[in-house]
Amino acid sequence: MLLHNISLHDFGAYRGKQSLDLSVKPGRPIILIGGLNGCGKTTLLDAIQLVLYGRRARCINRPYESYLRESINRKANSAEGAEIALEFSVVVDDQERHYRVTRSWHTSGKQLKEFLNVIVDGQFDRILSDGWADHVEDILPLEVASLFFFDGEKIESLADPERAANVIESAVHSLLGVSTVEQLRTDLVALVRRQRLSNEDQAVLDQIRAQEAEHESARQEIADRTQTLSSVRSRCDRLQVKLDKVEKEFERAGGKLFERQKELESNHKTISELLAAQRASLRSLAAGPLPLLMLPQQLARLREQARREKDADDATRVVGVLEDRDAWLLDQLSASVPAAARTALKKKLAADRERRESAAELKQSLDLPLDALEQLSALDEALSRDASRARELLKESAETSDRLDDADRLLAGVPDKKLIKDLIEKRNEAIDELAVANDELRRGEQQLEEVKSRRDRIGADLERAQQKRVKTLIEIEELERVVTFAGKARDTLERFGEALLRRHISRLEVAVLQSFKALMRKSGLIHDLRIDTVKSNLILADSEGEPIDPGRLSAGERQLLAISLLWGLAKVAGNRLPSVIDTPLGRLDSRHRQHLVDRYFPNAGRQVLLLSTDEEIDENLLSRLKPSLAHTYTLVHDDTSFTTTVETGYWWTAGAPHVA
């Protein structure tokens, strides 16, 4: 499929008729469309989807008629309405067919009227115009279109394992032909069912037809609810982004500290009380003997004086005893002992007594108690114990004081309630909005599951009824042969489908991994990539074979992973569909942007439409992209009339100098 031209007449911001030539040449697949924010880039992407899919377009997030009314340019006459025309070509059975699809609408009183015309190879086709919703699914299924018409900033969500699984399953089945095998198996079931009903009596036939109608009704309800849920999920995503933004503002303004104010005040009080208790204990110690540690020399002299006075007291007591002893000792000496020896002994004993008497005499006495030394020893023990305890208390009080300073700083950082009041209300409002949306999403999912259960129950009842009738009504060999060979064919198709799925998954794994490595500046981040053939889960692994949680990747890396998934799908599918990328480089750093410009955009397909701001594809990237450009346009917005026109050329080129 190749796009050739798109024309917009009074659609959205586009006033009057604005046309873009979308034709490309070999080696020049890129059409670059520049526009500042609010100029109509996303509107152009929406226009392509709207003209093709009408009320089923993914860009519609409100009632369809309201969307169409609001899409008419505000300066235009609503009675004349708006129009979108898209020209493209598709190869069918080796024949190229040229389509021109025109969707227009206008108001008539309170009513809104919509028209769709399809011209094929220059001829108006009424049948295709009336049945376009079904025919476009054969050309470009809606599920597949979302993989090729996308917003670069929003595809990051495809890195989520669950969403990636849905995309992979949808793409492999619809884009790579696996669904064709499934459709053949379904057609065989229908064939067998028609055979089973060939000889049914009318009453049972009516019952089965009623069950079939009910089953189809349930299937349609599932499709409708699934589309509604998709819109609700998108709203939940937007509200979550809004809440995250408010949460960041709230945190930057000190909101987290404000919420913890009572806790911080209680903690501050506890620390203050602990510090006061520690200081009271220190004062209590200081009221005891502890200050005596400041007089070490005086205590030493006092201890020496106490020892001297004790020695003097001991000597005084001994001298009197020694006099009696010495007299007794001299009396005991026999007369045989020479007088000289007795005289020498007597002198020696007298000298000893004199020495001791001299020791008993003190120059200065403080009249200390006899147990002064024992008291001083007890004092030393008390001082040692109190000093150790004082050191512990000083260390603890210093740490507690530091904790109190930290608590003071935290309390000082708590904003005033008046300053944060608006943020609190804004945050609560965002939380309430998200809660309501999530509740709506849960109810919708629950209702969807109930409808699926009802569909499955009806299908089971229908299958049992048909099986019961088949057992009694298969009477001829031809009927048995059809049923038998249809069953065999279904089994063969099932095996073929499984093998085809494994083959496509294997090719897709290689293509996605190669694409991701080509786009990443950290080439060794992801070493291997696998896709579960049953659940379609995307599994990443590092060089050690350990799984990597996609949540660990940065926003830019997740966007590149999502782009690699889409690129890989396009490669495996043969690059036969155009890619329309809005905001292609929004969250990427300069290196990743260069990789996309050099490696992805020129090779993304035969036709690539880039809707970019001047900050995404800047002058440097434009020069790198230039060899691959087929056309360049700039969306020029008039802030006075709030309208947009399309001009040839891009910023930094001669085509639109007044826009830069």
Side-chain angles (χ1 to χ4, degrees), residues 307-444:
R307 185 187 60 76
R308 289 175 181 173
E309 291 190 11
K310 186 175 185 306
D311 290 346
D313 181 71
D314 291 344
T316 300
R317 294 175 185 276
V318 170
V319 167
V321 175
L322 290 179
E323 287 180 354
D324 295 338
R325 184 203 64 179
D326 293 346
W328 175 82
L329 180 61
L330 291 172
D331 289 342
Q332 297 299 317
L333 293 175
S334 63
S336 60
V337 176
R342 291 181 65 184
T343 300
L345 177 59
K346 185 176 181 180
K347 288 181 178 180
K348 190 172 183 178
L349 291 174
D352 179 63
R353 288 195 304 274
E354 289 176 0
R355 182 180 60 78
R356 292 182 181 275
E357 288 174 355
S358 176
E361 294 178 359
L362 291 173
K363 295 180 181 180
Q364 183 179 4
S365 175
L366 299 179
D367 292 330
L368 298 174
L370 296 177
D371 61 346
L373 283 176
E374 287 79 0
Q375 292 182 17
L376 287 172
S377 296
L379 177 62
D380 289 342
E381 292 180 2
L383 287 175
S384 176
R385 183 174 60 254
D386 289 354
S388 176
R389 177 58 180 158
R391 285 192 293 271
E392 292 177 359
L393 286 173
L394 285 172
K395 181 180 178 181
E396 292 174 358
S397 64
E399 293 174 351
T400 305
S401 180
D402 291 341
R403 290 173 56 198
L404 186 61
D405 290 342
D406 293 340
D408 285 335
R409 283 193 293 272
L410 288 176
L411 278 176
V414 175
D416 186 80
K417 185 176 182 179
K418 294 180 180 178
L419 299 177
I420 205 169
K421 180 181 177 182
D422 292 341
L423 273 178
I424 292 175
E425 293 177 353
K426 187 176 179 182
R427 178 171 174 256
N428 290 338
E429 180 183 348
I431 291 173
D432 292 342
E433 288 179 348
L434 181 58
V436 170
N438 283 331
D439 185 58
E440 182 181 350
L441 180 61
R442 284 192 294 271
R443 289 198 307 271

Side-chain angles (χ1 to χ4, degrees), residues 156 159 516 520-522 525 552-562 587-588 592:
E156 176 195 339
F516 188 69
M520 281 295 296
R521 55 182 172 82
K522 294 186 285 186
L525 177 65
R552 288 173 46 195
L553 304 178
S554 66
E557 290 167 346
R558 288 195 299 272
Q559 183 174 343
L560 290 181
L561 178 59
R587 296 188 177 185
L588 302 179
H592 285 152

Side-chain angles (χ1 to χ4, degrees), residues 35 83 87 101 150 235 238 257 265 340 358 361 392 395 450 499:
E83 179 183 281
E87 297 180 32
V101 181
F150 59 88
R235 180 150 52 90
R238 292 194 300 272
L257 291 177
E265 289 174 347
S358 176
E361 294 178 359
E392 292 177 359
K395 181 180 178 181
E450 290 174 355

